[in-house]
Amino acid sequence: MKLFVDCKKAGHLCDKVQYKDASLFEKLSVVVHNMVCKHCSDYSERNLRLTKLINDPKCKKMPEDCKKRIQQELDRELAKDQNK
């Protein structure tokens, strides 16, 4: 595996790092890439902020009954489209 990776690979590795699924070498590859690539560095920062927001205990999650109602409405609309 190469230490210097392209942006596409760096984005994938960044996601693995966020989900704690990256090896030490992959983490190092992301750090090295982000040192030279502003776009990927910005992506990594946004990804980290999003992860922190989602894991924040103050983050309100949608109740299960709302999820079921939305799913039923989506299914109903999809069925209408298929019958056309």
Side-chain angles (χ1 to χ4, degrees):
M1 185 172 197
K2 303 185 303 186
L3 180 61
F4 297 101
V5 294
D6 61 21
C7 291
K8 184 175 181 178
K9 180 74 173 179
H12 175 71
L13 293 177
C14 173
D15 294 340
K16 285 181 73 172
V17 169
Q18 289 297 317
Y19 294 108
K20 302 191 182 350
D21 196 29
S23 68
L24 180 61
F25 188 78
E26 290 171 329
K27 292 176 188 176
L28 182 61
S29 293
V30 171
V31 170
V32 169
H33 184 87
N34 286 349
M35 287 173 31
V36 296
C37 182
K38 174 81 169 118
H39 297 290
C40 291
S41 177
D42 290 345
Y43 175 81
S44 292
E45 286 179 31
R46 287 191 310 270
N47 209 11
L48 181 61
R49 274 185 278 165
L50 179 60
T51 300
K52 284 181 180 179
L53 283 171
I54 288 172
N55 292 330
D56 185 349
K58 295 182 232 169
C59 180
K60 295 182 180 176
K61 300 193 174 35
M62 185 182 292
E64 286 300 317
D65 61 323
C66 289
K67 291 180 189 179
K68 287 180 183 177
R69 191 179 72 240
I70 291 171
Q71 184 64 51
Q72 289 169 347
E73 290 176 26
L74 286 170
D75 290 342
R76 194 169 36 252
E77 289 299 319
L78 288 172
K80 282 182 191 177
D81 287 345
Q82 289 178 353
N83 291 330
K84 288 183 180 182

